[in-house]
Amino acid sequence: MSSFSTRALTLLSSVFGACGLLLVGVAVSTDYWLLMEEGIVLQQNQTTEVKMALHSGLWRVCFVAGPEKGRCVASEYFTEPEIEITTENTANILKMVRTATPFPMVSLLFVFTAFVISNIGHIRPQRTILAFVSGIFFILSGLSLVVGLVLYISSINDEVMNRPREPEQFFHYRYGWSFAFAASSFLLKEGAGVMSVYLFMKRYAEEELYRPHPALYRPRMSDCSDYSGQFLHPDSWPPPQRGRSASEVSSDISIQLNQTPPQPPPKGELPTHLPLHLPLST
């Protein structure tokens, strides 16, 4: 059961990471983050006439109605583009959303790094730390993206609230599918990050379960002596003694046989080499 759950987490984290990388890549490279329309209201029949309509992304603005219809202009971050926009507030919106552009780019870099590290960790599961590192990068990528989305929304809302209310003019805006892809990518990357961290915890717990106890590697039997248990190490054993040859053994036997046995002492005399322990007669 544990092996099945580990494989399921590995598969899900890979799928979530790949989908998150794909969605944020599509969102950053397309220009359907914001769709805007503005025009006038005809008082005779209460109909509207669109004066300008556009869709914009992080890098380009494309006009679908108005004097600039059919024209796409790259978003200039250092110079003002030569385009004709109906109102100043619309131009301010296009300027303010540029402040959110770096965060999706950083998010894309983080999620690509996390995806590469995650796949290396799946190929080499013994490197447990890679799952944790990839999870951190997935989470950082999601946080960077959500900061960019919040800045993007707040910039638009500030300009819309400051827009003058005139009954003969109308203004509509909505978020496009590129924005939806970016928001969905945030959820997928956070899910991949959580699953990667949880996968790291499971692998680490399994390693600790099958790892021998550290006491088995400790030669010391007690803390009171530095030499207790030293003979558990083969390095501390004395070297084996060399066996004696047959000639040495035979020479020792001949020497013992040739030795003259000691002569018994004369009668009435005690041997001098024995100590006297006889009690004195009274």
Side-chain angles (χ1 to χ4, degrees), residues 19 43-44 59 85 138 159 199 219:
C19 293
Q43 299 295 332
Q44 292 81 3
W59 312 106
I85 299 180
F138 275 126
E159 290 298 328
L199 181 62

Side-chain angles (χ1 to χ4, degrees), residues 238-250:
Q241 297 182 356
R242 184 176 60 87
R244 303 178 65 187
S245 62
S247 60
E248 293 177 351
V249 175
S250 61

Side-chain angles (χ1 to χ4, degrees), residues 40-49 170:
I40 59 175
V41 179
L42 301 177
Q43 299 295 332
Q44 292 81 3
N45 50 8
Q46 294 296 318
T47 58
T48 59
E49 181 182 355
F170 75 93

Side-chain angles (χ1 to χ4, degrees), residues 22-257:
L22 178 63
L23 290 181
V24 73
V26 172
V28 168
S29 59
T30 54
D31 49 16
Y32 283 87
W33 282 65
L34 182 66
L35 290 82
M36 292 187 293
E37 290 182 355
E38 61 178 316
I40 59 175
V41 179
L42 301 177
Q43 299 295 332
Q44 292 81 3
N45 50 8
Q46 294 296 318
T47 58
T48 59
E49 181 182 355
V50 177
K51 292 294 185 180
M52 186 193 66
L54 59 86
H55 58 85
S56 66
L58 301 179
W59 312 106
R60 193 173 62 167
V61 179
C62 294
F63 295 89
V64 295
E68 301 285 346
K69 182 179 179 180
R71 183 185 177 189
C72 291
V73 180
S75 298
E76 300 291 341
Y77 287 86
F78 304 101
T79 59
E80 293 297 329
E82 297 179 358
I83 55 178
E84 182 180 349
I85 299 180
T86 306
T87 59
E88 184 179 355
N89 293 92
T90 303
N92 291 335
I93 290 175
L94 297 177
K95 292 178 183 178
M96 293 300 296
V97 295
R98 300 172 190 172
T99 59
T101 302
F103 294 96
M105 297 302 300
V106 173
S107 175
L108 180 61
L109 177 62
F110 278 171
V111 71
F112 179 77
T113 305
F115 183 72
V116 172
I117 296 175
S118 176
N119 283 284
I120 296 175
H122 296 336
I123 296 173
R124 297 184 176 182
Q126 66 273 13
R127 296 181 178 272
T128 313
I129 192 62
L130 293 179
F132 179 76
V133 174
S134 65
I136 296 299
F137 272 101
F138 275 126
I139 294 174
L140 290 177
S141 175
L143 293 177
S144 176
L145 182 59
V146 76
V147 169
L149 295 179
V150 170
L151 287 176
Y152 192 86
I153 295 172
S154 61
S155 300
I156 297 173
N157 290 339
D158 290 343
E159 290 298 328
V160 171
M161 292 179 62
N162 296 329
R163 190 182 186 90
R165 306 292 180 179
E166 297 180 3
E168 66 276 5
Q169 293 183 355
F170 75 93
F171 174 79
H172 297 297
Y173 75 96
R174 67 181 186 274
Y175 299 100
W177 54 266
S178 298
F179 185 88
F181 275 20
S184 302
S185 174
F186 162 72
L187 299 177
L188 290 172
K189 288 184 289 187
E190 292 300 314
V194 171
M195 284 187 288
S196 297
V197 173
Y198 186 66
L199 181 62
F200 160 76
M201 295 172 62
K202 286 185 66 67
R203 288 177 178 173
Y204 185 79
E206 291 175 359
E207 289 182 359
E208 289 295 324
L209 180 64
Y210 293 106
R211 182 179 300 173
H213 196 274
L216 298 177
Y217 297 103
R218 190 175 183 179
R220 185 178 298 178
M221 290 297 192
S222 63
D223 296 333
C224 60
S225 175
D226 291 337
Y227 299 98
S228 58
Q230 63 177 345
F231 295 105
L232 295 177
H233 291 281
D235 297 338
S236 62
W237 294 351
Q241 297 182 356
R242 184 176 60 87
R244 303 178 65 187
S245 62
S247 60
E248 293 177 351
V249 175
S250 61
S251 62
D252 290 346
I253 294 174
S254 61
I255 291 174
Q256 293 178 2
L257 292 176

